[in-house]
Structure formats: structure tokens, C-alpha cells
Amino acid sequence: MALLEIKNLSFKYNVNNKYALNNISLLVEEGEFICLSGESGCGKTTLLRLIKNVCSPKGVLEGEINFLDTDVRKLSVKDNSMIGFVYQNPENQIVTDTVWHELAFGLENLGYDNQTIRKRVAEVANFFGINNWIEKETFNLSGGEKQLLALASVLVMKPKILLLDEATSQLDPIATIDFMNHLKRINSELGITIILVSHSLDDSYEYINRLILLDNGSISFDKVKDDIKSIKDLSEKDKLNFPIFVRLFENSENVPKTMLEARNMLKGFKEVDINNKIVDNELIIKVKNAYFRYGKDLPDVLKDLNLEIKKGEILSILGGNGSGKTTLVKVITGIRRLYSGKVFINDVNINKMKDIDLYRNNISVISQNPYTLFVTETVLDELKESKKLVDTDITIEETIKLFELENIINRHPYDISGGEAQKVALAKMYLLNPKIIILDEATKGLDNFYKEKLKNILINLKKLGKTIVLVTHDMEFASSISDRCALIFNGEIVSINEVNKFFKDNSYFTTITNKLTKDNMNLVKFNDFLEAIKWKN
């Protein structure tokens, strides 16, 4: 008996005649570690939410979803706890004030006695190494700690299957590796079956044993990883789902399964010297000797930070969770005020600018959680709200087409996936036609296919004279689009340089291509690699 059996599953949302899922049939055996991937809006999140019935969206369901031979819609509350679910944003999952209470919360609701609760919490806390911060308040945790807590609070329920929806999308590269190592232990040591929804197989491919790709609501690819010998006969869309170290060898008869295999296959190639041109324009943003803290008795988040951003450049700001990236965005946009130091836009101190001049005529910002921008009942109404604010020649119709929103235009903004929400937020920003565009984790939840489109959109905006600041954990995207990159650590800018020099000097905050070629070709960008060796087989 399979752990999970899905038979002829189709689903459509109440407001849409098009099926979000179309005739899905799937067997999941106990102990598998599956990655479910595909472009934004292909049905990944919908499928995951239908498996966890209490998270199920409203709509018309056809077919069957059976867990341990029982329809998931008929599972008892306790049996439902055997299906664990970890959300993309831990803020949407954490409901209590302390780590201890968060770990105990689910067990308390299921009616377990105090001794059982204490025993399970102690076990899980030690397994994840979080016993040292068991008394901490949840709002003081870093992004990585919050996601780990969300995972631990599900594991304390002893699930048989764990569903994760883009659970690493808000983590920095090092925290992502730590999180994936925890998942590997959960799978191998505890035997828990895992289905991980992810757009970035660069982070997960080495850990999984099966890959399933969705395309337009249907399964387009389903293979055990050991059986994947070549990807050259796949569609271009399906190829884009694979990690970079596999796509480097897309014409090969034997693609690598790990970074180590890929690195060994590249031995013998010689170094290639590629440099970017530096944008040498006047300054548009200047942050001078910036100090900021969230409370008088709390430590500084920004410490004597200095940053100059040039007009018409694309600058990416990188750094670990809790390093000060998002705080810097809030300071530049005037959402938060420095207690010492100054921020200038076009040589004007933002403290002397009216909000209407700062936001409508100069800066547009998209925060990490795009759902906070939504205030209406449909995606179309969201676009109309932006259109009302600024008089531009940009039309709603061209915006819908540019951002490929046709299939979700009548959906409620809270019923769309994380990747789709990012697209809607970007479309709202586009309609405002700002001079400075600040994007905080803009590629979070976006597939590689749409990232290419986003890259072209941002490059075209740059050609129109826009200045673009990206705060991101996505090294590949930053390397492909930026003129310069800056690294923030412990509240200070510790490194800033043109993109190739920046990434070549780094070992951890760098690209997959650089990690693979550092000892020979020393390249940073995926496309530079393809151009340098003209890989053919």
C-alpha cells in the first residue's frame, strides 16, 4: 500500500473555468524525498494544499486523494496531523509568543497530556539544536530560526509525510544549506516522506531521490533521480527546472547528480577573463554614516553604514538573514528613520521630502511579503488601484500581458501562489512608473522561466533610465542582471564591486557557476560559461 495515492485528480477554483490541476495520478511510497517543481502557477501549491485537506482551497475537486488508503477529506483531526505542512513564509505559521509555546501549541490542541508534550518538545528541540533558544520570543528570531521553528513545530506532531511549500525561498544561501541538511536527516534518520515544492533545484537536487515537474496543471516529468541520465530531449521549459550544474551539461549523455561530479567533469578547462563595465553616472541615492535600531535599549541594526547608488544602475544587496538588508530598504524609503546619519535622494535629505514626493514621484518598493500590498477582491482591482495613483501612458492591458496575469486576473489575491503574488506586486509597481525601483526578494517563488522574463523587464526599465536596487538571496539572478553587488554584514557594507570581481572574491555568497569553475575557468555567470566553452557533445 502506497503512503499517498492520487487518482485522476482535477481541480479548478470557483472563480476560474480553467483547471488548475488536470488529471493528476501519483503514487508516493514511504521514505521518498520528492521535489515538485515547475513554473509559477502550474499547480504545485494547489496540489500540496489539496493533500493537506485543512489547507484546501475553495473550488471543484474531481478524483481521489488517499492517505494510508483513506480519503484525506475523511481523516480525523489526529490523523490529519500525520500530514505535516510547512509554509513558504514562517510568519504565516508561527502563532505564539515564545519558542516553547510554539512547539507545544499543536500538541496542546490535540489534547496530549503535559508529560507527553514536554517529552516531545524536548526531543525535537534537541534534534534541531534549538534547545538553547527555547525561551526566546518568536518575534526576535531571525528568518532562518523562524523557518527552523516552523519545521520543528510540525515535526513534534510525528507526521508520516512532510509537505513544504517553497520553505527555503526566504533563506540566505548558508541558512538554506542548513535547512536542507535538516530535511535530509528527517528523511534518512526518521524515515519521514518529504514532498518539497521548489523553484530552485540548485538548493535541493543533491538531497532528493525523485523529481516531478508540473506544466500547466499536468505532470510533464516524473523520474527517480538515479534514472535521469540526460536532459537534452526535454522541452526548454522543463530543462529550466534543473539545477545549473546539470544544465551546464544539457547536451551530455550523462549529466551529473552532484556538484562534485560536475566539478570533476570540468577539470582541464582554462581560465577565462571576463569583466563588466562599470556604470559611471551621477549619484541618485546616498546613505551616509547610517545608524538605526528598533528600540532604545536594543542593539544597532545598521552601524555607520555608507552606500552610494548611481543613477541608472542595477545594484544588488546581498547578505545573510538578519544582516540588515531589509532594514536598509526601510531606511532608504523613509519607512524607518535613522537616529544618526542621513539619506539623500538626488542630493535632497529625505527627511525634508513630503511623502507624496518621495513615493509617487521617486521610489516604488516591493517588500518581502507581496500579500501585504493587496487590498481588493481581485487581481484586476489591484492593478486598477495602482493605475489610479499615477497618470502614465502605461495601460492595464499591456501590464497584464507583460506579466502574464491573464489566468489569475479574476482570482482573489490571497488565493494565488507566492510566485504569482510576486508577479502581481511587480505589475502594480510597473504601473506606478517610478524613477527608483527597490525590490526586496523579488525572485522569491519565481521559476527560472519567469526569472528570465523578469530580468528582461528590469533591463528594459534600466534602459528607460530607472535605477534598480535588488535585495536578494538569489546569487544567480543577481549575477545575471547587476552592474554592481554589495555585501552587508552585521549592519555594515563590507564589500561592493562590479559583479564579476565581487563574486570571484567570495566562496559562500557566490554563484553555482563560480563554485564549479573557481579552480580553473573562474567564471561567475552561467551564460558566460556557455559562451566560453561552446559546450557541445
Side-chain angles (χ1 to χ4, degrees):
M1 178 182 68
L3 182 67
L4 179 71
E5 184 175 11
I6 299 172
K7 296 180 183 177
N8 306 318
L9 175 67
S10 296
F11 179 83
K12 61 181 176 181
Y13 289 87
N14 286 332
V15 296
N16 201 334
N17 289 323
K18 183 182 177 185
Y19 280 94
L21 295 173
N22 190 14
N23 199 30
I24 299 283
S25 291
L26 195 60
L27 285 176
V28 177
E29 301 292 345
E30 193 167 349
E32 288 194 278
F33 193 153
I34 299 170
C35 182
L36 183 63
S37 193
E39 68 176 313
S40 299
C42 69
K44 303 183 301 297
T45 296
T46 300
L47 178 57
L48 225 59
R49 290 174 65 188
L50 289 171
I51 295 171
K52 179 71 171 177
N53 184 56
V54 293
C55 303
S56 181
K58 300 293 184 183
V60 179
L61 186 151
E62 302 166 11
E64 300 178 30
I65 307 174
N66 295 315
F67 175 70
L68 291 176
D69 225 19
T70 302
D71 189 324
V72 294
R73 290 167 291 186
K74 297 178 181 178
L75 292 174
S76 67
V77 174
K78 276 201 173 182
D79 286 343
N80 231 304
S81 69
M82 290 193 292
I83 303 176
F85 198 109
V86 179
Y87 292 85
Q88 183 180 71
N89 186 352
E91 302 284 356
N92 296 337
Q93 189 155 354
I94 294 173
V95 295
T96 66
D97 55 348
T98 67
V99 172
W100 164 261
H101 288 142
E102 187 64 28
L103 291 173
F105 181 77
L107 296 172
E108 289 171 344
N109 278 277
L110 289 176
Y112 284 93
D113 61 86
N114 286 339
Q115 187 170 349
T116 300
I117 291 173
R118 291 175 66 83
K119 177 178 176 293
R120 285 208 193 176
V121 168
E123 261 199 319
V124 167
N126 280 284
F127 182 84
F128 285 102
I130 63 178
N131 41 306
N132 291 332
W133 37 280
I134 196 77
E135 301 292 341
K136 284 182 74 172
E137 294 179 315
T138 52
F139 69 85
N140 282 331
L141 300 178
S142 70
E145 289 172 336
K146 287 178 180 177
Q147 195 61 288
L148 191 58
L149 175 59
L151 177 62
S153 66
V154 170
L155 262 291
V156 79
M157 315 282 283
K158 293 191 175 181
K160 286 189 173 293
I161 188 169
L162 182 61
L163 312 176
L164 301 105
D165 190 10
E166 294 287 354
T168 63
S169 65
Q170 298 193 53
L171 303 181
D172 64 64
I174 297 169
T176 295
I177 292 171
D178 289 341
F179 191 84
M180 290 304 304
N181 283 328
H182 281 297
L183 292 186
K184 186 63 178 176
R185 286 187 65 204
I186 289 166
N187 177 246
S188 61
E189 294 180 24
L190 304 179
I192 295 174
T193 304
I194 295 176
I195 302 179
L196 171 70
V197 163
S198 178
H199 287 116
S200 177
L201 270 78
D202 291 316
D203 302 327
S204 59
Y205 194 75
E206 295 198 35
Y207 298 86
I208 66 171
N209 54 41
R210 181 178 172 190
L211 174 62
I212 299 173
L213 302 181
L214 290 186
D215 183 17
N216 201 26
S218 299
I219 294 175
S220 62
F221 183 92
D222 181 1
K223 273 193 177 183
V224 173
K225 189 176 71 173
D226 286 344
D227 294 335
I228 301 173
K229 305 299 182 185
S230 173
I231 64 170
K232 64 181 180 180
D233 294 328
L234 299 182
S235 69
E236 291 303 313
K237 188 184 289 186
D238 279 351
K239 285 179 185 177
L240 279 172
N241 289 293
F242 281 83
I244 281 176
F245 69 81
V246 173
R247 286 190 283 132
L248 288 173
F249 303 93
E250 65 177 43
N251 293 320
S252 172
E253 296 291 346
N254 191 22
V255 296
K257 294 178 176 57
T258 66
M259 287 272 288
L260 179 60
E261 282 184 36
R263 190 176 291 110
N264 288 335
M265 292 169 71
L266 290 173
K267 286 180 178 178
F269 290 103
K270 296 180 179 179
E271 184 166 354
V272 179
D273 187 24
I274 297 175
N275 285 306
N276 283 4
K277 292 181 179 178
I278 297 283
V279 175
D280 192 22
N281 294 345
E282 61 190 83
L283 298 181
I284 191 170
I285 298 174
K286 187 173 183 179
V287 183
K288 189 173 181 181
N289 305 122
Y291 286 86
F292 177 83
R293 63 179 65 154
Y294 283 97
K296 189 170 78 170
D297 298 325
L298 295 175
D300 287 332
V301 179
L302 302 181
K303 307 170 185 178
D304 198 25
L305 184 144
N306 291 277
L307 178 65
E308 295 181 344
I309 301 173
K310 301 172 185 178
K311 184 177 181 180
E313 78 168 332
I314 298 179
L315 174 74
S316 288
I317 300 175
L318 312 171
N321 293 102
S323 60
K325 301 186 302 298
T326 296
T327 301
L328 177 57
V329 168
K330 291 176 180 178
V331 163
I332 291 175
T333 55
I335 296 171
R336 294 285 187 171
R337 300 290 180 175
L338 300 172
Y339 76 81
S340 180
K342 295 177 181 177
V343 178
F344 299 91
I345 293 179
N346 287 321
D347 289 328
V348 179
N349 190 325
I350 64 168
N351 290 337
K352 298 179 180 179
M353 298 175 70
K354 294 180 180 178
D355 284 351
I356 193 168
D357 293 325
L358 181 60
Y359 298 122
R360 292 199 185 177
N361 298 329
N362 278 299
I363 291 181
S364 183
V365 60
I366 298 177
S367 66
Q368 285 189 27
N369 185 359
Y371 293 100
T372 60
L373 297 176
F374 304 148
V375 295
T376 67
E377 296 295 317
T378 69
V379 169
L380 180 59
D381 287 338
E382 290 295 331
L383 301 183
K384 289 178 178 178
E385 280 293 309
S386 287
K387 181 64 178 171
K388 285 192 300 187
L389 294 175
V390 178
D391 184 19
T392 70
D393 294 330
I394 302 171
T395 67
I396 290 177
E397 290 73 20
E398 72 180 73
T399 304
I400 292 170
K401 185 176 180 181
L402 180 64
F403 289 90
E404 299 180 349
L405 304 177
E406 293 90 346
N407 290 334
I408 60 171
I409 201 66
N410 293 315
R411 296 256 297 275
H412 194 288
Y414 289 139
D415 281 340
I416 59 180
S417 71
E420 289 168 331
Q422 286 293 106
K423 289 163 67 171
V424 175
L426 286 164
K428 291 189 67 169
M429 172 274 299
Y430 179 74
L431 282 165
L432 295 174
N433 197 28
K435 296 184 181 106
I436 301 166
I437 300 166
I438 300 181
L439 306 171
D440 195 355
E441 295 297 346
T443 61
K444 180 186 67 181
L446 297 182
D447 58 273
N448 289 331
F449 184 76
Y450 191 77
K451 282 180 189 178
E452 286 297 311
K453 295 193 174 188
L454 173 61
K455 180 170 75 173
N456 292 331
I457 290 169
L458 295 180
I459 288 173
N460 286 333
L461 289 171
K462 175 188 169 182
K463 289 177 181 176
L464 294 173
K466 310 294 184 187
T467 302
I468 299 168
V469 180
L470 299 173
V471 173
T472 184
H473 292 135
D474 193 331
M475 307 293 141
E476 309 304 326
F477 190 78
S479 72
S480 71
I481 195 173
S482 306
D483 296 297
R484 292 189 302 156
C485 291
L487 179 65
I488 185 170
F489 172 74
N490 198 29
E492 300 177 78
I493 300 292
V494 295
S495 173
I496 186 166
N497 213 329
E498 65 93 359
V499 65
N500 275 296
K501 290 181 179 177
F502 176 88
F503 283 113
K504 282 181 180 180
D505 287 342
N506 293 343
S507 297
Y508 304 104
F509 281 89
T510 191
T511 64
I512 300 294
T513 302
N514 187 236
K515 288 179 181 179
L516 289 170
T517 66
K518 187 177 282 289
D519 294 334
N520 43 29
M521 303 172 75
N522 203 16
L523 292 170
V524 165
K525 302 178 185 179
F526 175 73
N527 287 337
D528 284 347
F529 174 90
L530 296 181
E531 184 64 27
I533 69 168
K534 301 288 185 184
W535 184 269
K536 291 181 180 178
N537 203 340

